[in-house]
Amino acid sequence: MIFNFSLLGLLTMFLLVYIYYSKEIKDDCEGKVFRGILLGNYLIELLYLGVYIAMREGNNISIGLSKLYFSGLVIYNSLLLCYMISLILRDKYKLQQTIYSSKVKLMKYIFIVVDVVSLVLLYSLPIEFNDNIIYGMGVSVSYFMIFIYSILGFIVLFARHNSFGVKKFKDLFIIYIINVTSIIIQYYFYDICVIDIGYILITIYMYLTLENSSYLEIERLRLENETVMKSSIDTTKFLSNMSYEIRTPLNAIDGLSQVIEDSDDINNIKEDVKDIRAASKNLVDIINGIIDIATIDTGKMEIINENYDVYAMFDNVCDIARSRLKNSKVEFKVDIAKNIPSTLMGDAGRIEQVLLNLLTNAIKYTKEGYVLFKVDVINSTSLCRLKMTISDTGIGIKKEDIKNLFERFDNNGNSNKLGLVIVKKLVELMNGKIDVESTYKKGSTFVVTIDQKVVNILEDNVENTNKKKKLDIFDGSGKRILVVDDNKLNLKVANKLLMSYKVEVIEVMSGQECLDVLANDTNFDLILMDDMMPNMSGSETLDIILKLERVEGYNIPIVVLTANAISGMKEKYLKAGFDDYLAKPIDKYELNRVMKKYLNSDKKDSD
């Protein structure tokens, strides 16, 4: 009877494998794990049949086959748990492919290590036979591991039930009920091959439900519908909350501008201008944050790893933090480890963004006491683990609010601080970790841990963009600059900023006008070119100019001047042929860098 059941089971699994591979195969993580389950089940049936025949013949190889058989049972259960976890990871990181891939890789390594340890233990323990019954410590360890995997499966299933739809949850629940029932019956009734039948039923059930193409299409449509609905609700809430955030600095800008119009007191005007600039900077930060969130949500946020001077980066962060603490009673404490390698590889700009967001929050919500910025380090041969801590004695965070601190919305559906949402996502994109501890009305501590690659090169060879900024305006008399922008106000701003250099500025309002000017006059030292212009964009104008330059023999540096400042655009523009990149609103330090680079090349660049 057992032989007939085993033969029937082997035939059933052979047919299932044949049917599965005769159709289009899903190549995602769950599909790969299911293939492991399918082939594993086929091998289990084959091994069980081999063990049965060897035992009947009194063959000594039955012990080895038995250990292989029980190993297969352990691995089969680990694959079931792995399948469920991969479904959870796909749901959680469906818009963050890089993080999803790293989590899947980590999961794979963990299961491999656990399985290898289990199998080594199993093979080192004895297995015995008595009246065609297999028993011994090796068998007990196998059942123990199978039981542990099953219990973990139930825990994960109920703990993360929100990650599954009702039908998927029901299917997974049925699978684990069949699994546990088969294990219990098999453990107490050795002479019945229940566990093999149970695993065949599980594999067939998975094929007909979770891995069924019609089921998967329905599930895909369900997830898309849920995503669209949730996205629509979230977007409405988000825009409503962001409307308030944007209107706050706009109100300051507009209100103070009206005050300046009616004021003759130059000192008051200067103070109001400082406040307008601060509000403008706040507005730019909010807009950049919205762009960053949109970029991250679409999976297009890029981490650009380059060599950087780590101490220069921290100095820049500290300088900005100190400037925001002017006229404040709050003490700013800095404690940066001295043994950090001077040159690291990573995205220094994104690390600065993370630190400044956290420091800005700490400063904003701390009225007395101190804000501490501390950096510890753990060094290895090739990696440097930066542990960056921002502590404060501010108002703190309520315990119930901490868990939603980095989510888009809090418990009441209100938008959280955009900076913190971005911080969490950026840290995850850099494969880092952020932790927070807080006591309400006493203060908070944020700890960011990020691994960076150590670069063993001379410090002089590092292209450092994080050195202290220094505005060193030079006399550019005799130099000519062509500014191309379709907006009169933008042209006015550019002209005002360039006045300090005493250069001659020629303004045009379209790509075609730019080409018309160059057709008669190529005696320019620099072109500042807006990109997003109607009829002919800056990029299209650039292509024509580059062709003309090759024919006519002149060579004018062309710097893109654009409000399109999302991640990766600088690299895109440089690849397109622009010599450099300036983002709007124009930063006077960045403009100064460009001016010195292209108009004052005979002097040493000191920024």
Side-chain angles (χ1 to χ4, degrees):
M1 180 66 72
I2 293 176
F3 178 79
N4 292 334
F5 267 122
S6 297
L7 198 59
L8 181 61
L10 186 64
L11 180 60
T12 302
M13 289 311 304
F14 175 81
L15 289 173
L16 189 58
V17 169
Y18 176 79
I19 293 169
Y20 178 81
Y21 277 94
S22 65
K23 296 182 178 181
E24 185 177 349
I25 298 174
K26 192 175 67 164
D27 198 36
D28 56 13
C29 181
E30 304 94 77
K32 291 176 181 177
V33 176
F34 179 73
R35 288 199 286 279
I37 290 172
L38 186 64
L39 295 173
N41 201 171
Y42 179 75
L43 290 174
I44 286 171
E45 297 305 317
L46 191 62
L47 286 167
Y48 187 81
L49 188 62
V51 170
Y52 180 77
I53 294 172
M55 287 174 61
R56 285 182 58 182
E57 299 297 327
N59 198 318
N60 290 331
I61 66 168
S62 57
I63 293 178
L65 287 174
S66 297
K67 289 187 176 183
L68 283 173
Y69 169 73
F70 282 103
S71 299
L73 298 183
V74 172
I75 293 173
Y76 184 90
N77 279 270
S78 74
L79 287 171
L80 278 179
L81 181 58
C82 187
Y83 183 88
M84 186 190 299
I85 294 174
S86 67
L87 290 175
I88 294 170
L89 292 176
R90 184 186 64 179
D91 178 76
K92 186 174 181 180
Y93 300 108
K94 53 180 171 284
L95 295 177
Q96 297 166 286
Q97 191 59 40
T98 303
I99 300 176
Y100 171 74
S101 299
S102 65
K103 295 289 184 183
V104 166
K105 188 180 292 185
L106 177 62
M107 175 189 71
K108 181 178 71 173
Y109 289 147
I110 290 173
F111 274 99
I112 288 173
V113 170
V114 173
D115 283 344
V116 167
V117 171
S118 303
L119 297 182
V120 168
L121 184 61
L122 189 155
Y123 272 86
S124 63
L125 294 172
I127 285 181
E128 300 177 34
F129 300 96
N130 186 12
D131 294 330
N132 291 336
I133 295 173
I134 309 171
Y135 62 95
M137 285 296 295
V139 175
S140 298
V141 167
S142 300
Y143 278 115
F144 176 76
M145 287 303 303
I146 292 168
F147 185 72
I148 290 296
Y149 276 131
S150 300
I151 294 299
L152 286 174
F154 271 116
I155 292 172
V156 171
L157 181 62
F158 283 96
R160 303 291 302 189
H161 66 277
N162 291 329
S163 299
F164 311 112
V166 175
K167 188 176 188 317
K168 189 177 288 186
F169 176 83
K170 182 198 73 175
D171 291 335
L172 290 168
F173 181 75
I174 290 172
I175 286 167
Y176 269 91
I177 287 293
I178 295 172
N179 189 30
V180 172
T181 304
S182 302
I183 294 166
I184 293 172
I185 294 174
Q186 185 71 63
Y187 186 78
Y188 288 104
F189 300 93
Y190 302 104
D191 55 341
I192 305 175
C193 56
V194 176
I195 198 166
D196 296 69
I197 297 172
Y199 286 175
I200 291 172
L201 289 175
I202 288 171
T203 307
I204 293 173
Y205 187 82
M206 288 182 72
Y207 176 74
L208 294 175
T209 56
L210 296 170
E211 289 297 313
N212 180 269
S213 57
S214 299
Y215 176 94
L216 289 173
E217 182 62 21
I218 293 170
E219 182 68 8
R220 184 185 66 80
L221 292 173
R222 182 189 70 80
L223 288 173
E224 283 185 0
N225 184 56
E226 285 184 1
T227 301
V228 169
M229 291 294 291
K230 186 176 184 300
S231 176
S232 177
I233 294 170
D234 286 354
T235 300
T236 303
K237 288 182 179 179
F238 181 71
L239 291 176
S240 176
N241 283 284
M242 282 304 102
S243 174
Y244 169 78
E245 295 287 340
I246 290 171
R247 285 174 183 274
T248 301
L250 271 179
N251 179 63
I253 294 168
D254 185 61
L256 289 173
S257 298
Q258 293 179 58
V259 170
I260 289 173
E261 279 183 329
D262 300 327
S263 176
D264 295 323
D265 189 328
I266 190 65
N267 291 324
N268 286 338
I269 289 174
K270 285 184 176 181
E271 287 300 317
D272 290 340
V273 167
K274 287 181 182 178
D275 291 335
I276 288 174
R277 288 211 63 204
S280 299
K281 178 67 170 63
N282 185 19
L283 183 59
V284 170
D285 288 342
I286 292 170
I287 292 170
N288 286 340
I290 294 171
I291 293 171
D292 280 344
I293 283 290
T295 307
I296 291 170
D297 284 348
T298 56
K300 294 180 179 179
M301 173 65 77
E302 294 180 359
I303 297 298
I304 301 171
N305 294 317
E306 297 176 334
N307 297 345
Y308 67 94
D309 184 327
V310 67
Y311 288 105
M313 179 191 72
F314 288 140
D315 283 346
N316 192 46
V317 169
C318 292
D319 285 347
I320 295 172
R322 288 191 186 97
S323 70
R324 293 175 181 176
L325 276 168
K326 279 184 178 178
N327 305 319
S328 171
K329 297 178 181 178
V330 177
E331 181 184 2
F332 183 53
K333 299 179 179 180
V334 179
D335 181 9
I336 298 176
K338 304 298 183 184
N339 60 329
I340 307 174
S342 61
T343 305
L344 298 177
M345 176 176 277
D347 195 328
R350 292 303 181 187
I351 295 175
E352 273 196 38
Q353 186 178 355
V354 166
L355 294 176
L356 287 173
N357 267 310
L358 294 176
L359 282 167
T360 299
N361 268 5
I363 291 167
K364 183 177 180 180
Y365 295 108
T366 304
K367 303 304 179 186
E368 58 183 20
Y370 66 86
V371 171
L372 169 66
F373 175 45
K374 183 179 181 181
V375 182
D376 296 310
V377 63
I378 301 173
N379 287 319
S380 68
T381 306
S382 59
L383 281 179
C384 168
R385 175 161 293 177
L386 297 174
K387 183 181 178 183
M388 297 163 284
T389 304
I390 291 93
S391 299
D392 63 67
T393 54
I395 62 174
I397 307 163
K398 292 179 181 178
K399 188 175 181 180
E400 61 269 23
D401 292 333
I402 291 178
K403 64 179 180 179
N404 293 313
L405 192 62
F406 299 107
E407 300 299 324
R408 192 77 61 86
F409 302 100
D410 61 20
N411 291 324
N412 300 316
N414 298 316
S415 178
N416 278 324
K417 288 296 177 184
L418 197 59
L420 291 179
V421 179
I422 296 169
V423 161
K424 178 70 179 298
K425 292 184 179 293
L426 287 177
V427 170
E428 287 177 345
L429 281 173
M430 291 186 283
N431 297 315
K433 180 183 177 185
I434 183 167
D435 296 303
V436 57
E437 292 181 3
S438 185
T439 304
Y440 188 51
K441 294 185 178 181
K442 290 187 177 180
S444 306
T445 298
F446 290 81
V447 180
V448 176
T449 307
I450 298 176
D451 289 343
Q452 299 283 271
K453 185 179 178 181
V454 177
V455 181
N456 297 313
I457 61 176
L458 293 176
E459 187 172 352
D460 290 342
N461 291 334
V462 179
E463 183 179 351
N464 175 30
T465 60
N466 298 294
K467 293 180 181 178
K468 293 183 180 180
K469 294 177 179 179
K470 182 181 177 183
L471 193 61
D472 183 18
I473 295 176
F474 60 91
D475 187 344
S477 298
K479 304 290 186 179
R480 302 177 77 224
I481 298 178
L482 179 61
V483 182
V484 188
D485 200 304
D486 64 307
N487 185 290
K488 287 184 178 181
L489 193 56
N490 286 338
L491 288 172
K492 183 177 180 180
V493 170
N495 206 332
K496 293 281 187 182
L497 289 171
L498 292 169
M499 282 176 62
S500 303
Y501 298 91
K502 299 179 181 178
V503 295
E504 181 184 353
V505 178
I506 290 83
E507 302 172 359
V508 295
M509 295 190 65
S510 70
Q512 186 58 56
E513 283 187 46
C514 172
L515 295 175
D516 292 342
V517 169
L518 291 175
N520 300 309
D521 182 6
T522 59
N523 186 27
F524 290 99
D525 300 281
L526 180 65
I527 298 175
L528 299 180
M529 176 87 69
D530 181 32
D531 183 36
M532 294 185 177
M533 296 185 292
N535 300 321
M536 185 185 295
S537 69
S539 297
E540 291 169 339
T541 308
L542 171 74
D543 289 339
I544 297 173
I545 293 173
L546 292 177
K547 291 175 184 176
L548 290 172
E549 283 183 344
R550 284 194 289 270
V551 174
E552 303 292 337
Y554 63 87
N555 182 19
I556 307 172
I558 304 176
V559 177
V560 64
L561 184 61
T562 178
N564 191 4
I566 64 173
S567 176
M569 288 310 299
K570 178 179 179 180
E571 292 71 24
K572 180 181 176 182
Y573 282 124
L574 295 179
K575 189 175 180 181
F578 285 101
D579 295 282
D580 218 314
Y581 172 94
L582 273 176
K584 294 178 184 175
I586 302 171
D587 181 272
K588 62 183 180 181
Y589 294 101
E590 274 296 290
L591 178 62
N592 185 250
R593 176 188 65 79
V594 168
M595 295 291 284
K596 286 196 291 180
K597 182 175 180 181
Y598 297 103
L599 273 69
N600 197 37
S601 56
D602 54 317
K603 295 183 180 182
K604 184 179 178 181
D605 188 85
S606 60
D607 64 331

